[in-house]
Amino acid sequence: MTVERAELERIVREVVAELLARRQEAQRPRRVLALFSGASTGYLVGMEAIHGLAAAGHKVTAVLSPAASHVIGVDKVEAAGAHFVVKPGSWVCAPDVINRSDLILVPTVTMNLAARLAAGLMDSLLSTLILGGLLAGKPVLAVRDGADPYGNGGLVFGETHATAPALRRQLSRNLETLATFGITLVGEEEFLPAMWRLLEGSPAVSANGAGPIPQAAAPAPAASPAPQANGRVHFITETDLLTMQPGSVVRLAPGCRLTPLAQDTARRLNLQLSYE
């Protein structure tokens, strides 16, 4: 056997071993932490997530806030297939729960929970598990709709988004802050595809599979830098656009969304928004 062939066979063996190891890792049952606050938005997709994970052999530990126990009910979470349910008033060791989890899901996020998280408060079990999970480097995936003052969250209190503009801007900033913390915020329709991709170890993508959430690029004049977006960030913020030259073209990838302040900035700078 020549030296070249021996070296080639060694490389092939290493590649095959690596592929087998990756396949075994992908098939390993995962431990998922599902956290529910009192928002009704995201409840159904949360139940679908638990059911699908359980059917695939993954173990789900669900934690319900006191409000979620009334809005959703422990029985429904158990019926969906949760391996273990932490009921309101139960004590758990948060670091242990976090360290045993591969993925943290937050299908229902209230505006109250978003505000507490944005302030960095660990004053409840849910906020402690979410922020602690980020500190531990765990992927956190959440449905943003219930906390969106310009979406379902705002419509809970009225039929229009035109009232209390200053308050709505502040509540929207809370979601921006959560995105900068590293929480992947998606719509209900994007939640399940993003969850499975995170379990497979690849970046979460929008429901149409067009790429990471989000991607923003601006083929503007050379003097106008493109707004850069972290792979986990879903919002384009005012800060992203402030450095753009007036009249620049901003190309937005599918799934991108401008915050209200970013929309005002885009109008003020006469930016041309191109949605792909």
Side-chain angles (χ1 to χ4, degrees), residues 11 55 58 89 124 136-137 155 163 245 257:
I11 294 174
H58 304 297
S124 70
L155 294 177
T163 58
Q245 293 294 322
R257 182 176 182 180

CSV table of all heavy atoms in Angstrom, one decimal, residues 11 55 58 89 124 136-137 155 163 245 257:
chain,number,residue,atom,x,y,z
A,11,ILE,N,-8.0,9.5,6.2
A,11,ILE,CA,-8.9,10.7,6.1
A,11,ILE,C,-10.3,10.3,5.9
A,11,ILE,O,-11.2,10.8,6.6
A,11,ILE,CB,-8.4,11.6,4.9
A,11,ILE,CG1,-7.0,12.2,5.2
A,11,ILE,CG2,-9.5,12.7,4.7
A,11,ILE,CD1,-6.5,13.0,4.0
A,55,ALA,N,-43.5,13.5,20.9
A,55,ALA,CA,-43.6,12.4,19.9
A,55,ALA,C,-42.2,12.1,19.3
A,55,ALA,O,-42.0,10.9,18.9
A,55,ALA,CB,-44.5,12.9,18.8
A,58,HIS,N,-38.2,13.7,22.7
A,58,HIS,CA,-37.5,14.7,23.6
A,58,HIS,C,-38.3,14.9,24.9
A,58,HIS,O,-39.5,14.7,24.9
A,58,HIS,CB,-37.4,16.0,22.8
A,58,HIS,CG,-36.7,15.9,21.5
A,58,HIS,ND1,-35.4,15.5,21.4
A,58,HIS,CD2,-37.2,16.1,20.2
A,58,HIS,CE1,-35.1,15.5,20.1
A,58,HIS,NE2,-36.1,15.8,19.4
A,89,GLY,N,-45.9,28.2,42.6
A,89,GLY,CA,-45.7,27.9,44.0
A,89,GLY,C,-44.7,26.9,44.3
A,89,GLY,O,-44.2,26.7,45.4
A,124,SER,N,-38.9,36.6,39.3
A,124,SER,CA,-39.9,35.6,39.2
A,124,SER,C,-39.2,34.3,38.7
A,124,SER,O,-38.1,34.5,38.1
A,124,SER,CB,-41.1,35.9,38.3
A,124,SER,OG,-40.6,36.0,37.0
A,136,ALA,N,-26.2,31.4,30.8
A,136,ALA,CA,-25.6,30.1,30.6
A,136,ALA,C,-25.3,29.7,29.2
A,136,ALA,O,-24.8,28.6,28.9
A,136,ALA,CB,-26.5,29.0,31.2
A,137,GLY,N,-25.7,30.6,28.2
A,137,GLY,CA,-25.4,30.3,26.8
A,137,GLY,C,-26.4,29.4,26.2
A,137,GLY,O,-26.1,28.9,25.1
A,155,LEU,N,-53.7,44.9,21.0
A,155,LEU,CA,-55.1,44.8,20.7
A,155,LEU,C,-55.9,44.2,21.9
A,155,LEU,O,-57.1,44.3,21.9
A,155,LEU,CB,-55.3,43.9,19.5
A,155,LEU,CG,-54.8,44.5,18.2
A,155,LEU,CD1,-55.0,43.5,17.0
A,155,LEU,CD2,-55.5,45.8,17.8
A,163,THR,N,-53.5,54.8,19.9
A,163,THR,CA,-53.5,55.4,21.2
A,163,THR,C,-52.2,55.2,21.9
A,163,THR,O,-51.4,54.3,21.6
A,163,THR,CB,-54.6,54.8,22.1
A,163,THR,OG1,-54.4,53.4,22.2
A,163,THR,CG2,-56.0,55.0,21.5
A,245,GLN,N,-27.2,57.4,4.9
A,245,GLN,CA,-27.2,58.7,4.2
A,245,GLN,C,-28.7,58.9,3.7
A,245,GLN,O,-29.3,57.9,3.3
A,245,GLN,CB,-26.3,58.7,3.0
A,245,GLN,CG,-24.8,58.7,3.4
A,245,GLN,CD,-24.4,60.0,4.1
A,245,GLN,OE1,-24.9,61.1,3.8
A,245,GLN,NE2,-23.6,59.9,5.1
A,257,ARG,N,-38.3,43.3,10.5
A,257,ARG,CA,-39.4,44.2,10.9
A,257,ARG,C,-38.8,45.5,11.5
A,257,ARG,O,-37.9,45.4,12.3
A,257,ARG,CB,-40.3,43.5,11.9
A,257,ARG,CG,-41.5,44.4,12.4
A,257,ARG,CD,-42.3,43.5,13.3
A,257,ARG,NE,-43.5,44.3,13.7
A,257,ARG,CZ,-44.4,43.8,14.5
A,257,ARG,NH1,-44.3,42.5,15.0
A,257,ARG,NH2,-45.5,44.5,14.9
